[in-house]
Amino acid sequence: MTGKDILFWDETLFKDPSVLEPDYLPEYFPHRESQLNGLRFALKPALRGMRPLNCLLVGPPGTGKTSAVMKVFGEVEAHATGVVTVKVNCQIDSTRFAVMSRIYRKLFGISPPNSGVAFRKIFEAVVNFLVSSEKVLLVALDDLNYLCYEGHANEVMYSLLRAHEQYPGTKIGIIGIVNDASDLYCLDSRVNSVFLPEDIPFPRYENVEILDILKDRVKYGFYPKVISDELLELVVSYVERTGDLRVGIDLLKRSGFNAERRGSRTISSEDVEKTYEASKLLHLCRGISLLSDPEKHLLELIAKKGEVHAGELYKSFHELTQLGYTRFYGIVNKLQVLNYIDADFTGKGQRGRTRIINTKFRAEDVLNCLEKK
């Protein structure tokens, strides 16, 4: 390394580190224009003081669902003083009281008391404020499926969706965000009959789309010539394994840190490869932590059994969970979409077709993540 290649202690490779954070909202939001327009169309009535259409955003992790909502929410709040937007992380706020408390904080700027106050009291304060101020409320329920796991989904959805029946003049729209529509198996007919969302699918990014997005992050996040085009292609190849764009953004940031630690002005292939080896288990564990208990049970069985026929796997799954074949089949499909397993059909079954199922990751890595759940 020559003198001009050395990065001094008071220098950095990062032009704007915030660009490489997972919650950064870029001005340039490519390859999601149809989804953004779908959201804008559904929420447009709120700009005129009307109740908006409900939405359901469906797609694997890291495909831009939450970012799209936050971008459109920003546009709405910038142009409509009569609309209030609230994003609720249902992994954190997974009860009816917690969801309503999050909304209360947005409306009043303070948190309601943690104890001694009934849900109804908080709910009435929220809806009375909306009616008296003639404001429309847009609520994004991120990872809505977590309300199902905790058994609170129907209570939350019913309270919000039917508020106008008990409190005339209340205008509330819900944007549900899930990885898989089958995650909402818990919603009952009284909720589904009023939810009736506009479905907005978010498919996995393709190779050229991932490259385009990461190039933009590199352009604004790093100084020129910090990372070569060839190394950026390597990062893209790692992202393709998971389908999660956040993996690529995190890889860029951590690779930059590794290069700085070495005192280098450029990121090397070793920086990228070491970063991926160190962080891939972290990303795998994060993804697995988002699965429901039945999904974790099935993934654990697959990791322990290795290559296994679907029939044998279902028998073990049913003995463990008492769940039926329809639920089993849905979970297999979800784990395949999330890129955790291979579940290819063969011609060797009793009826001519059966599935051979195996994990795409090392079994010990999967089991280590499941132990941390």
Side-chain angles (χ1 to χ4, degrees):
M1 184 181 291
T2 64
K4 66 178 182 179
D5 295 325
I6 297 174
L7 188 75
F8 294 106
W9 68 270
D10 59 345
E11 294 180 311
T12 180
L13 304 180
F14 297 91
K15 182 164 60 177
D16 184 354
S18 69
V19 172
L20 298 171
E21 294 297 334
D23 57 353
Y24 174 76
L25 277 179
E27 282 296 318
Y28 176 55
F29 203 83
H31 313 299
R32 286 293 179 255
E33 198 56 42
S34 65
Q35 287 83 0
L36 288 169
N37 285 336
L39 261 174
R40 289 170 182 137
F41 173 79
L43 303 184
K44 189 175 180 180
L47 305 183
R48 301 193 296 269
M50 301 167 63
R51 188 177 298 110
L53 301 177
N54 299 312
C55 301
L56 184 63
L57 279 54
V58 182
T63 51
K65 302 183 298 295
T66 303
S67 294
V69 169
M70 297 312 295
K71 188 167 184 64
V72 174
F73 272 11
E75 295 171 359
V76 168
E77 290 200 324
H79 295 94
T81 56
V83 181
V84 180
T85 66
V86 183
K87 182 183 84 75
V88 180
N89 182 342
C90 296
Q91 288 189 53
I92 299 170
D93 298 318
S94 57
T95 67
R96 183 174 67 159
F97 188 89
V99 170
M100 199 55 59
S101 295
R102 183 70 59 182
I103 296 170
Y104 185 98
R105 279 196 290 276
K106 181 63 181 283
L107 295 180
F108 300 106
I110 58 171
S111 300
N114 289 326
S115 60
V117 178
F119 167 82
R120 187 173 187 82
K121 197 88 170 174
I122 306 252
F123 181 66
E124 286 181 345
V126 166
V127 293
N128 285 333
F129 174 85
L130 294 175
V131 173
S132 64
S133 62
E134 298 185 340
K135 289 185 181 292
V136 180
L137 175 65
L138 302 178
V139 181
L141 298 174
D142 203 356
D143 286 318
L144 170 57
N145 47 298
Y146 273 78
L147 296 180
C148 286
Y149 306 154
E150 300 296 331
H152 296 287
N154 286 305
E155 291 179 335
V156 170
M157 298 286 280
Y158 192 82
S159 297
L160 293 171
L161 290 168
R162 309 201 79 144
H164 63 280
E165 295 179 1
Q166 192 171 359
Y167 302 90
T170 307
K171 302 182 182 90
I172 299 175
I174 291 181
I175 300 98
I177 304 174
V178 293
N179 295 333
D180 191 313
S182 66
D183 288 339
L184 300 182
Y185 62 89
C186 71
L187 296 183
D188 62 29
S189 57
R190 64 185 185 141
V191 171
N192 283 322
S193 65
V194 287
F195 185 30
L196 302 174
E198 296 286 307
D199 290 328
I200 304 178
F202 281 72
R204 287 180 59 172
Y205 289 110
E206 297 179 1
N207 182 294
V208 292
E209 295 174 337
I210 295 168
L211 180 60
D212 188 28
I213 294 167
L214 293 185
K215 273 185 176 179
D216 196 61
R217 296 295 178 104
V218 166
K219 178 181 177 181
Y220 294 104
F222 290 116
Y223 285 107
K225 300 181 180 179
V226 166
I227 186 169
S228 67
D229 290 342
E230 291 75 20
L231 282 186
L232 194 54
E233 291 276 6
L234 177 62
V235 173
V236 170
S237 72
Y238 286 140
V239 177
E240 281 191 297
R241 298 182 188 184
T242 63
D244 189 336
L245 186 65
R246 295 170 299 188
V247 172
I249 295 169
D250 187 60
L251 267 178
L252 289 174
K253 180 176 73 172
R254 292 174 184 267
S255 297
F257 288 153
N258 282 350
E260 284 195 339
R261 189 177 295 115
R262 294 188 298 105
S264 173
R265 293 185 179 274
T266 58
I267 294 172
S268 69
S269 58
E270 289 78 13
D271 291 323
V272 176
E273 288 161 2
K274 286 180 181 177
T275 296
Y276 182 69
E277 286 302 314
S279 65
K280 68 177 180 180
L281 192 59
L282 178 67
H283 294 294
L284 176 62
C285 290
R286 182 179 67 183
I288 288 175
S289 73
L290 301 178
L291 299 175
S292 66
D293 285 341
E295 291 160 356
K296 289 174 182 173
H297 290 321
L298 184 58
L299 188 58
E300 184 174 9
L301 287 172
I302 295 168
K304 287 180 175 178
K305 288 176 177 291
E307 193 171 270
V308 59
H309 284 266
E312 178 190 339
L313 181 62
Y314 169 66
K315 183 179 178 182
S316 299
F317 177 75
H318 177 70
E319 289 173 355
L320 180 64
T321 66
Q322 303 304 307
L323 295 174
Y325 188 80
T326 300
R327 186 84 177 101
F328 165 79
Y329 187 82
I331 293 175
V332 168
N333 287 341
K334 177 177 178 178
L335 294 178
Q336 186 176 31
V337 167
L338 293 176
N339 226 27
Y340 293 131
I341 64 170
D342 283 316
D344 297 325
F345 285 100
T346 73
K348 298 180 181 179
Q350 290 181 340
R351 299 181 183 178
R353 292 185 87 206
T354 187
R355 271 174 140 172
I356 301 295
I357 299 172
N358 201 358
T359 177
K360 282 194 169 186
F361 295 88
R362 293 193 311 169
E364 54 266 40
D365 287 344
V366 172
L367 292 173
N368 282 338
C369 288
L370 286 164
E371 285 177 7
K372 298 174 183 178
K373 66 185 178 180

